[in-house]
């Protein structure tokens, strides 16, 4: 039953990511252009839709709010809610939660929402579609698998020191 709970916690994290994205693009997808390729960002600046300074500021705010929020979420789930103790118990839970969120990001957000709807379309950049090309997808899959494993291992190692 624990695996089902951890999968559901991963779905919860994926829903949080979807909410962050939905809030981010609620006025205009330009507000989340920091997630797009440098070519799309440059075009938005050239079209006068934003500035490089605003893009940098948005990226910084996104990282400053989301990364600690996601880390707090997975740590609370694994250690406070599920009672993980020791490296292995924490690691597998963190990895499953992060991996489920990664799958939601790759398939639902990148694959469907960005790839097959107009919600993320920025007028004047349509010729730069697909916004997430094959090379970008490869990088995202690599980070999503290797990166999430490393993050889970580092967090589990840190928590092993603090929780006996």
């Amino acid at each position: 039953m624990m695996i089902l709970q951890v999968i559901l916690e991963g779905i919860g994290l994926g829903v949080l990511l979807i909410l962050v994205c939905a809030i981010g693009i609620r006025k205009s997808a330009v507000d989340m252009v920091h997630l797009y390729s440098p070519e799309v960002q440059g075009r938005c600046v050239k079209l006068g839709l934003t500035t490089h300074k605003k893009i940098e500021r948005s990226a910084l705010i996104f990282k400053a709010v989301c990364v600690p929020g996601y880390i707090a979420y997975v740590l609370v789930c694994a250690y406070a809610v599920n009672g993980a103790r020791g490296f292995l118990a924490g690691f597998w839970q963190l990895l499953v939660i992060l991996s489920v969120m990664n799958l939601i990001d790759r398939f639902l957000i990148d694959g469907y929402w960005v790839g097959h709807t107009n919600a993320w379309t920025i007028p004047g950049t349509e010729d730069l579609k697909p916004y997430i090309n094959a090379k970008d997808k490869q990088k995202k899959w690599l980070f999503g698998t290797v990166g999430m494993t490393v993050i889970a291992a580092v967090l589990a190692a840190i928590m092993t020191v603090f929780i006996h």
Side-chain angles (χ1 to χ4, degrees), residues 8-65:
L8 289 173
E9 291 164 346
I11 291 170
L13 186 58
V15 169
L16 284 174
L17 178 60
I18 290 169
L19 286 172
V20 165
C21 291
I23 291 166
I25 66 167
R26 73 189 180 285
K27 294 178 188 170
S28 168
V30 174
D31 293 335
M32 295 288 275
V33 77
H34 63 275
L35 298 176
Y36 292 66
S37 70
E39 293 79 19
V40 176
Q41 293 176 19
R43 177 76 61 83
C44 288
V45 170
K46 184 178 176 184
L47 292 171
L49 302 173
T50 190
T51 65
H52 286 294
K53 193 169 191 91
K54 284 182 184 177
I55 294 170
E56 290 172 16
R57 186 175 183 279
S58 294
L60 185 61
I61 291 169
F62 185 80
K63 290 173 188 169
V65 172

Side-chain angles (χ1 to χ4, degrees), residues 116-142:
H116 296 300
T117 74
N118 289 324
W120 291 81
T121 299
I122 300 172
T125 66
E126 293 89 350
D127 62 307
L128 299 174
K129 283 185 170 186
Y131 291 129
I132 305 170
N133 61 36
K135 186 177 177 184
D136 293 335
K137 286 180 184 178
Q138 287 176 334
K139 287 180 190 175
K140 286 176 172 243
W141 275 106
L142 179 63

Side-chain angles (χ1 to χ4, degrees), residues 75 79 84-86 154-164:
L75 291 175
Y79 293 92
R85 297 295 178 265
V154 169
L155 291 175
I158 291 169
M159 292 306 290
T160 300
V161 171
F162 292 108
I163 297 179
H164 305 302

